[in-house]
């Protein structure tokens, strides 16, 4: 039976500024009616201006959090965000291989929205660790730069990105949620310039595309964390990936539009990158 309140575990880093990471995950899970739990992988010092420090937690501490939750609480869905080190990636993959949650969403966090590197991916150990995680995930949610790192293929336009996503799905047996927010508006097709496409790409190549108006805002910190958490919660409640995207995408767009009104951080500075408003729907 699908639970009335999906119990969702976020495995991710902590954002001291509250806009991304486990803080964004918990706000999103609650907004969609779920019960959120966490296994924190790293402590970051960050705010709306950028990331000042990253401190990965010891592997045994992360594993202890995972084991503690699983020993007592049913986990209906897992969302994986920032892992930070190859050792942590291996530990999380090992735990997933043992516990086999029904829903696993992998947000392949590699670089923060500010441009700060968060997870190494370039060497053989990193590529092997990503491949292991992809094998135990049910949905992976790359943006275009992350897709390029995972596949080694630069997506110069939406059609090329879809081809790369099909290849990723086929290689690892995982559904891909391809995000088009990084499409260059000057190079994208006319429709994509006015709208942002996202697509569920299934193993076998089936594509379910959802478009929405491009939101021009500086309040977009944590959008990847937020979308992946929403999809995990909705899937944990029994929705298909396609139906989950249909619901989550417009909700996220509204959260971005409402973000600047939160007045979080010093928006007068050119480095300001504010959070979305996860509570916008509750406030009306």
């Amino acid at each position: 039976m699908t639970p009335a309140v999906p119990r969702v575990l976020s495995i991710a880093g902590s954002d001291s500024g509250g806009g991304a990471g486990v803080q964004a995950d918990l706000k999103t899970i609650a907004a969609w009616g779920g019960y959120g739990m966490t296994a924190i992988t790293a402590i970051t010092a960050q705010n709306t201006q950028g990331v000042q420090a990253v401190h990965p937690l010891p592997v045994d501490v992360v594993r202890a959090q995972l084991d503690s939750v699983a020993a007592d609480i049913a986990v209906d869905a897992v969302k994986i965000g920032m892992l930070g080190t190859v050792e942590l990636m291996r530990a999380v993959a090992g735990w997933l291989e043992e516990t086999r949650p029904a829903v696993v969403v992998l947000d392949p966090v590699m670089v923060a929205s500010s441009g700060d590197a968060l997870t190494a991916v370039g060497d053989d150990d990193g590529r092997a660790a990503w491949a292991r995680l992809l094998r135990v995930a049910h949905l992976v949610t790359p943006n275009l730069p992350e897709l390029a790192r995972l596949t080694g293929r630069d997506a110069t336009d939406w059609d090329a990105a879809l081809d790369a996503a099909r290849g990723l799905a086929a290689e690892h047996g995982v559904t891909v949620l391809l995000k088009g927010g990084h499409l260059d508006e000057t190079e994208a097709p006319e429709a994509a310039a006015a709208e942002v496409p996202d697509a569920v790409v299934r193993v076998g190549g089936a594509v379910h595309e959802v478009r929405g108006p491009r939101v021009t805002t500086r309040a977009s910190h944590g959008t990847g964390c937020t979308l992946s958490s929403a999809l995990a919660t909705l899937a944990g409640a029994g929705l298909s990936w396609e139906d989950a995207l249909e619901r989550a995408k417009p909700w996220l767009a509204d959260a971005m539009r409402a973000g600047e009104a939160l007045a979080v951080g010093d928006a007068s500075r050119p480095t300001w990158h504010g959070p979305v408003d996860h509570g916008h729907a509750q406030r009306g």
Side-chain angles (χ1 to χ4, degrees):
M1 290 181 60
T2 300
V5 178
R7 294 149 294 193
V8 184
L9 172 62
S10 165
I11 307 173
S14 171
D15 174 0
S16 55
V22 296
Q23 286 84 350
D25 293 346
L26 289 174
K27 293 171 189 176
T28 303
I29 294 164
W32 284 104
Y35 176 81
M37 304 164 284
T38 64
I40 295 175
T41 59
I43 305 297
T44 71
Q46 61 178 296
N47 52 31
T48 60
Q49 312 302 325
V51 180
Q52 292 81 43
V54 178
H55 179 68
L57 293 184
V59 170
D60 60 340
V61 173
V62 176
R63 179 68 198 227
Q65 294 175 77
L66 295 169
D67 290 340
S68 179
V69 170
D72 179 53
I73 305 170
V75 177
D76 301 303
V78 173
K79 174 268 167 81
I80 305 167
M82 172 189 170
L83 297 178
T85 69
V86 169
E87 292 75 20
L88 279 173
M89 294 166 73
R90 290 171 178 156
V92 170
W95 181 80
L96 292 168
E97 289 162 356
E98 293 171 19
T99 57
R100 296 289 175 178
V103 174
V104 177
V105 176
L106 173 62
D107 181 13
V109 178
M110 299 171 183
V111 179
S113 301
S114 59
D116 299 281
L118 296 176
T119 303
V121 294
D123 59 16
D124 290 342
D125 287 344
R127 284 189 287 270
W130 279 115
R132 187 176 175 188
L133 283 168
L134 286 164
R135 285 195 297 271
V136 291
H138 301 103
L139 181 76
V140 60
T141 63
N143 57 33
L144 297 189
E146 291 162 349
L147 180 69
R149 290 181 175 91
L150 289 172
T151 63
R153 298 169 57 181
D154 286 328
T156 54
D157 56 38
W158 186 238
D159 287 339
L162 287 172
D163 275 348
R166 289 188 182 99
L168 184 65
E171 180 179 0
H172 299 285
V174 63
T175 301
V176 179
L177 187 283
L178 179 61
K179 298 181 292 188
H182 284 76
L183 281 174
D184 187 333
E185 295 179 62
T186 64
E187 297 179 4
E190 184 176 344
E195 296 181 317
V196 175
D198 293 326
V200 174
V201 181
R202 294 275 188 173
V203 176
V207 174
H208 179 83
E209 189 171 298
V210 180
R211 290 180 177 266
R214 183 176 293 276
V215 179
T216 302
T217 179
R218 293 166 67 202
S220 58
H221 182 50
T223 50
C225 305
T226 297
L227 180 60
S228 55
S229 298
L231 294 172
T233 306
L234 290 164
L239 272 70
S240 68
W241 297 125
E242 291 83 357
D243 288 343
L245 179 61
E246 293 277 2
R247 294 186 63 183
K249 182 176 173 66
W251 174 87
L252 176 58
D254 287 342
M256 293 170 65
R257 293 186 188 97
E260 293 190 29
L262 289 173
V264 172
D266 184 357
S268 69
R269 299 172 64 181
T271 51
W272 184 80
H273 192 53
V276 306
D277 183 359
H278 299 88
H280 70 278
Q282 285 80 3
R283 297 190 194 95

